[in-house]
Structures are given as structure tokens and as C-alpha cells.
Amino acid sequence: MKHLKKLWLVVLLALSGSIACAQSSGAFGVPNLLKYDKKLFHFGFLIGYNQSDFMISSTADHNLQDTLDIINTRGYSGFNLGIVTDLRMGKYFDLRFIPTLSFIDRSVVYNDNIRGQYHQNTNPKEGAAAGAVYMDLPLMVKLKSSRMMNNVRAYVLAGAQYGLDLTSIAKKHQNNTGYVLRLYPHDFQALAGVGFDFYCTYFKFSTELKMGFGLRNMLVADQDIHATTINSLKSKMLMISFTFE
């Protein structure tokens, strides 16, 4: 329920921005911000919704373990807050740098044959979808179309980002109260997305759908059975973002 509330909050904020844009524009036939596209730099802010999860590769013989049967991942929703810096590189190209705080939830779930129940293996504790807070530093190239109906552009973007987990327990020891998988605090992701720019009277409002795929194994090698049954654990994230510039 709390994750649904996060989504509705983001949607309401985005709708408020789009309604304000539509009201201020009057009609698509009236061009807005005629000098906007000629400026070298643009700044703004980002709010967004994310759905984060893991891409998991387990060992071939993990089902032969006496205590483990099934390993799955479970994704949860979160939200993003960022600051937009956009550099105009040409008529149809921009370079975008958007430092972002990403509040995410995700877990690995084991089916324990001995206890006959599921245990959520989270960072940092068992039994709850313990969240992580990432400082993401994405650098992306944006390829945009010409204006359509004077005030709309479509675009695609691609790039990469470095993420630092501000809540990582990679340097802490396992405890004896539950299953804890330790993750490295540093992550690297490839990014790709699509979106639309809407030129309002006083600002530009954008909606964007983006995917991030982890490029490195996040799992810290431990001797605990719950870590040795996993070959690699990589991040993935779906992001729906709204920017105001």
C-alpha cells in the first residue's frame, strides 16, 4: 500500500505540471519559449517513480543443497529526486547530467526446505524490504526531434551512470539473526529511454520512461550458503521521470 501511495503522489505531481502547462500554452498552434532551444545550458529538477529489482544468476547445483530449494528476486517501488543540467550540443543533440537521489527497495527470496517458509534476504536485514538510498550520477546523450505542433518534441536517450549506495553494509560482518546478503556500494548501469518535451509558457515539462541495467556483480563473496548459491547479482531499474526546466 505504501508503494502505491508513492506512485500516486508522483502521478499527481506530474499531472499538476501537465495541466499547468496546458493551461498556460492555450493551444498547440501558439509556439512557446522561442529562444529556449538556442540557449547553451538549461537547468531544472526531476521527480520520478522507480521499480527496482535484481538480475540473478544462481549456481547450477543450488537445488542440491539440503537447506535451499528456490531462489527468486522481488522488486519494489521507490522514487527519485534529481537536479537537471542540460548542455546543448546541436540542433538535435543534448548532453544531460542529472545527479539523483534514488530511494529503492529490492530483495532476494529463499525457499527454505528445513523451515518450510520463505525468508526475504535484504540489505541490511531479514524479513523486511529494507530500502537503499543511491546517489546516482548519470551522463546521457539526448537525440530529439523537431518541434511537432510547435510545442512538442519526441526524444530518445542513452548513456551510463555511476551509483553509490549511501546505506551499504558491504564492510560490515554478517549477523546471526537472519540471512543477510552483502552488496558492494558501487554500481554501474547502462541507460536507455524515450520521452516527450512539452513547451509551456514559462517552462518546459517532460515525461520520460527509462531502463537501467547493471554492468557489475553487486554481491560480496561470502562463505555463507545463501551467498555461495548465487553466481552474480546485478541491478535493474525501470524509471518514470518528470522534469521541469
Side-chain angles (χ1 to χ4, degrees):
M1 181 62 69
K2 67 177 182 179
H3 305 297
L4 186 60
K5 289 181 179 179
K6 293 178 184 177
L7 174 58
W8 277 112
L9 177 60
V10 172
V11 170
L12 287 174
L13 289 172
L15 287 175
S16 299
S18 60
I19 291 172
C21 182
Q23 290 177 341
S24 62
S25 297
F28 282 119
V30 179
N32 295 318
L33 304 176
L34 294 178
K35 298 181 180 180
Y36 183 94
D37 294 323
K38 297 181 180 180
K39 293 182 179 179
L40 183 61
F41 287 99
H42 300 109
F43 302 96
F45 66 92
L46 172 149
I47 59 172
Y49 164 85
N50 69 63
Q51 184 76 25
S52 58
D53 203 347
F54 287 116
M55 297 180 291
I56 189 170
S57 173
S58 57
T59 57
D61 62 346
H62 84 268
N63 284 327
L64 302 179
Q65 302 284 354
D66 292 335
T67 58
L68 297 179
D69 183 22
I70 300 173
I71 303 175
N72 292 312
T73 64
R74 181 173 297 167
Y76 298 91
S77 60
F79 63 96
N80 305 326
L81 298 172
I83 299 174
V84 178
T85 302
D86 185 282
L87 171 64
R88 181 178 184 270
M89 299 178 64
K91 185 177 181 179
Y92 299 110
F93 291 92
D94 291 343
L95 183 65
R96 292 173 71 79
F97 177 61
I98 310 177
T100 304
L101 281 178
S102 298
F103 299 83
I104 68 173
D105 286 319
R106 56 193 177 181
S107 64
V108 176
V109 181
Y110 290 98
N111 185 352
D112 191 319
N113 284 330
I114 292 179
R115 300 182 185 180
Q117 58 184 336
Y118 283 91
H119 293 275
Q120 290 186 13
N121 297 265
T122 61
N123 184 3
K125 62 183 180 180
E126 176 200 359
V133 180
Y134 271 83
M135 171 59 75
D136 292 323
L137 303 175
L139 188 64
M140 297 168 288
V141 174
K142 175 180 177 180
L143 172 61
K144 54 192 180 183
S145 70
S146 299
R147 286 203 190 194
M148 301 175 290
M149 297 177 290
N150 288 327
N151 290 320
V152 182
R153 283 185 191 266
Y155 67 86
V156 296
L157 50 82
Q161 76 176 9
Y162 163 74
L164 174 64
D165 184 359
L166 303 179
T167 60
S168 174
I169 62 166
K171 296 183 179 180
K172 295 182 180 180
H173 296 289
Q174 298 263 22
N175 60 49
N176 296 321
T177 61
Y179 307 149
V180 178
L181 293 179
R182 297 192 299 150
L183 305 179
Y184 289 110
H186 308 286
D187 191 18
F188 297 91
Q189 290 186 342
L191 302 173
V194 297
F196 290 92
D197 290 330
F198 300 94
Y199 291 81
C200 307
T201 302
Y202 302 108
F203 63 91
K204 186 182 72 174
F205 171 72
S206 303
T207 61
E208 184 176 289
L209 175 67
K210 188 163 66 254
M211 286 293 300
F213 298 96
L215 301 177
R216 64 164 299 183
N217 182 10
M218 299 290 293
L219 184 65
V220 176
D222 282 320
Q223 296 303 312
D224 184 89
I225 186 175
H226 303 92
T228 58
T229 52
I230 299 175
N231 280 331
S232 70
L233 205 60
K234 297 181 179 180
S235 61
K236 67 177 179 180
M237 184 183 297
L238 170 69
M239 293 159 279
I240 301 174
S241 303
F242 308 95
T243 62
F244 301 81
E245 301 174 49

